[in-house]
Every structure is written in structure tokens, then in C-alpha cells.
Amino acid sequence: MNHKTKAISFSLAMLMSAFAWNAQSYADEVTGVELPVMLAEVSPANIFNVNLKKPKSRNLPPAEDGIHDPENEATHSLQHPLDAYKGLPTSEYGNYVDWVKALDEGKLRPRWDRSDPNEEPFVLDLDIVRPVKASVPDVVFPHRQHTEWLYCSNCHPAIFIPQKNANQISMSAILLGEKCGVCHGKVSFPIETKTCRKCHSKPKPADWTPPLSEATLKNPWK
Amino acid sequence: MSSKIKRNVLKSMIIGVLAYMGALGVPQPAQAEYADVVINNYADAAGMRPAVFPHWFHRIRFRCKVCHTDLGFAFKAGGNKIDMAKIIDGKFCGACHNGEISWSVENCALCHSGIPGQPTHFHGSTVQRLIAPAYKPLQDKDAKN
């Protein structure tokens, strides 16, 4: 830290404490002596879950979705997603459609070739288990569901070397849009609490305990 | 109630109303379909609305392989540098929007339907939703222009 940044952070700290002081005295004033003290009351700046943006509704028609221009006449002739999804199995995330189930149940037959409707995909039924050091279940990567949609060269070798455990994968890489995150979180199902177990699907053995960190093992006061 | 408290109640009501109006003024986040892509490398500059590509609509009809292997769309919003010259040569969108597999290119406004001024982006992506997105340096091959 140089002097300039020190000075800036000091003045920021002063400013913040001034705000806190202000808020405190303001709260005292409002409550006064005659009103009962209401512990649950918070200042408008401290509303619940300031960082959680919850979608108010799902599958809106194009003209109301915030990215299509309603002043463009053709926008109104685009299809409403809910019309297209009629009869498809649902899910709780992404498009709110279970795309894998829709294929498996034969509710959808998207083409594998641009013009030939009869060409069949080259499906590989091979599960790859990736043990995870953390307490979450191990990851099972299923080739079957992927090769129903994708070709080998969509992943090999640009995203993954085709060899078991030859690739370094971590959750932070995935969340930044690398490895599995190239597709998951963009087009395939998103990464959120409701989807953790779709990838983390192989339960840990009953006697599994989390490995202890070095600092705990070497702790001289233990 | 003493006048001081009355004044304070009034004050907090005014602050509350102002805060509420402030919140209404904040642009609401878009709620488009997951995986909708807005493509705007050049459209705005040429006076066209940005193009909007709906993944949900196309994946009902085609598997990913058709576009991302056979037609050579790279996995990168804006990364394919699509323009009309390539489209009328039968590349990218033009491989299908040619009057044979799908309606043809003179239906400009069906593709160019985005709200003007939006940057190229992938709607609803996990990276976009993260509270503190990490800084990611732009690599040469990712450069938008």
C-alpha cells in the first residue's frame, strides 16, 4: 500500500463511520421516548437480501422480455416460449424444460443433420467418475446425454483431453465459464443450488470424512 | 405525539417515498429466455437493431452439433463476427435462413429485433448472475472487433 491508497482508505473508513453514526442518531430520533423500541425495524439501506435478484416471472413472451424491442412489429410475430414448451417435461431452472428427458421420452426429435431428418446421433454410453475432495458427492460425467446433443469434437480436445482424470477441473473454473462451464451456465442447465446434485450425483462412501487441513493437523495447541 | 416526532415521522415517510421512486427508476433486469444471445458487433453502428438468437427455439429443431460442428459456430457470443455478406453466402445463419430450410434473409426484422444499444451478451448466464464477477482479461482471440 502506498501513501495515497492509505489516505483514501482512511477517508473511506471515516466516511463510513460517519454514516453509521448518522444512522444511529437518526434511529434514536425516530424512536424517541414515546414510541416503543422496535428491534425488527431496519433502515431502508439494509433491506433483506440486497444481492439476490429473483426473477419475478418466467418464460415471458419476446415483447415483454427486456431484450426484444416491442416497437419492432416483427417482435410480436415471434413465438411465445410457453407455446413451444407445451407437452415437454419441466424442470426448475434454465428454460424450465428438462431437455434430456424430452429427448429420452421422444417428445422432441431435433435434427442431427441440417437437412436430413433421419440421420441418427453417434451416442457413446460411457460414464466418467471424478472423485471430489470436498464433502459434496462425486461428479459423474455421462457421455450418453452429451453425445445425444453434441459431437465428440465439440469437447475433445479443445475443452477436455479425452483421458480419464487428465483434466484439472474446479468449481471456480466452471463458474467462470471454463470446462463444464463452457456450456453449463450458458445453454445447458445453469449452476445454482438446485442443480449441484445433477453433476454431484455419486454419494460418498458411508465412512467418508472430509480430509483435515494441514493447519489443523500441525496445530501445536490441539 | 409531540411535534418533533410528527416531523420525524413525516421525514421518514418522505425518505421512504423517495427511496421507492428511486427503486422504480432503476432499470429492471431483463427476463428473457435462458440462453438468448444478443449479437451487436456491428448492427447498431449500421443503424439496425441488434440481432437476437434464441437457443431454445433452435434446439427444439436442431441438436447443438448441427451449428457448433457442421456450421462452425464457435462457443463464443459475438465471437463468430457474423455479418450480412457471410449470411447471403450461405454461412452461419445463412446456412438455414435461405428460403429452403427456413424463411429467407429478407425478413430482416425477425432477426434484428433487439432493443438498440444493448451490448453483445448471453442472457441469463451464470457468470453474469454472479454477485462479484471476477476480472477476466480479454484475450486476443476473444477480442470483439
Side-chain angles (χ1 to χ4, degrees):
Chain A
M1 243 198 217
N2 61 25
H3 288 299
K4 216 166 164 191
T5 49
K6 250 186 207 161
I8 292 176
S9 49
F10 177 71
S11 40
L12 262 177
M14 286 306 286
L15 215 89
M16 277 157 68
S17 48
F19 273 129
W21 168 260
N22 237 338
Q24 183 57 47
S25 48
Y26 175 62
D28 288 344
E29 254 180 66
V30 173
T31 353
V33 257
E34 293 167 40
L35 295 177
V37 181
M38 286 175 284
L39 286 176
E41 204 88 73
V42 286
S43 91
N46 291 325
I47 47 165
F48 196 62
N49 279 343
V50 285
N51 280 322
L52 192 66
K53 297 188 203 82
K54 224 174 177 222
K56 279 190 220 85
S57 39
R58 40 174 82 170
N59 306 118
L60 293 178
E64 291 164 28
D65 70 3
I67 67 171
H68 287 89
D69 190 349
E71 283 167 30
N72 171 32
E73 247 173 70
T75 296
H76 299 275
S77 50
L78 296 175
Q79 194 175 27
H80 190 321
L82 287 179
D83 289 338
Y85 299 161
K86 259 179 210 140
L88 298 183
T90 58
S91 77
E92 277 305 304
Y93 36 77
N95 300 112
Y96 305 102
V97 168
D98 189 330
W99 295 104
V100 169
K101 222 166 152 197
L103 270 197
D104 287 350
E105 293 176 354
K107 300 252 165 69
L108 274 187
R109 268 195 61 81
R111 290 185 187 179
W112 179 252
D113 183 78
R114 181 170 53 115
S115 41
D116 179 0
N118 296 316
E119 217 174 287
E120 289 294 324
F122 173 50
V123 176
L124 172 70
D125 196 354
L126 169 68
D127 284 355
I128 308 271
V129 178
R130 307 249 338 177
V132 179
K133 281 208 193 88
S135 57
V136 290
D138 290 346
V139 172
V140 180
F141 171 83
H143 270 89
R144 183 186 72 79
Q145 289 93 312
H146 287 91
T147 49
E148 288 275 4
W149 291 98
L150 295 149
Y151 192 60
C152 320
S153 63
N154 287 135
C155 290
H156 299 310
I159 308 177
F160 303 109
I161 304 161
Q163 193 190 324
K164 200 168 159 19
N165 291 327
N167 302 271
Q168 277 263 2
I169 312 177
S170 73
M171 221 42 227
S172 37
I174 295 174
L175 287 165
L176 285 175
E178 288 154 24
K179 310 292 172 186
C180 319
V182 169
C183 301
H184 292 281
K186 303 275 182 54
V187 177
S188 329
F189 63 77
I191 320 287
E192 42 188 75
T193 316
K194 284 176 188 149
T195 63
C196 304
R197 283 175 193 278
K198 289 194 78 83
C199 293
H200 293 276
S201 60
K202 186 169 182 272
K204 290 270 199 287
D207 58 352
W208 190 90
T209 53
L212 291 173
S213 39
E214 191 87 339
T216 300
L217 292 171
K218 288 197 181 146
N219 185 352
W221 295 288
K222 137 177 98 168
Chain B
M1 255 205 252
S2 80
S3 68
K4 187 179 174 210
I5 288 177
K6 255 193 211 151
R7 236 187 305 123
N8 277 324
V9 169
L10 196 71
K11 196 164 117 196
S12 51
M13 273 167 66
I14 291 171
I15 290 174
V17 168
L18 284 178
Y20 184 70
M21 277 160 49
L24 284 180
V26 170
Q28 295 297 305
Q31 296 181 26
E33 266 310 280
Y34 181 66
D36 273 4
V37 195
V38 173
I39 311 175
N40 191 5
N41 288 330
Y42 320 109
D44 254 5
M48 290 295 287
R49 291 187 172 88
V52 181
F53 173 80
H55 263 100
W56 63 271
F57 184 94
H58 288 86
R59 75 180 292 185
I60 287 174
R61 292 160 175 81
F62 303 96
R63 315 220 183 196
C64 329
K65 175 257 187 192
V66 173
C67 293
H68 291 293
T69 305
D70 302 350
L71 301 179
F73 282 99
F75 286 141
K76 178 85 199 149
N80 295 282
K81 309 211 163 72
I82 306 169
D83 62 31
M84 293 317 291
K86 293 174 187 165
I87 292 180
I88 58 175
D89 277 348
K91 300 203 189 87
F92 297 119
C93 324
C96 301
H97 289 282
N98 54 9
E100 287 169 34
I101 289 171
S102 178
W103 40 260
S104 59
V105 79
E106 65 273 15
N107 298 291
C108 317
L110 283 175
C111 292
H112 292 280
S113 61
I115 295 173
Q118 292 180 88
T120 299
H121 72 285
F122 220 87
H123 182 78
S125 77
T126 298
V127 182
Q128 209 183 74
R129 284 191 359 248
L130 289 182
I131 288 162
Y135 171 70
K136 206 178 157 198
L138 200 67
Q139 276 159 12
D140 237 358
K141 64 180 167 59
D142 296 347
K144 291 269 158 70
N145 291 307

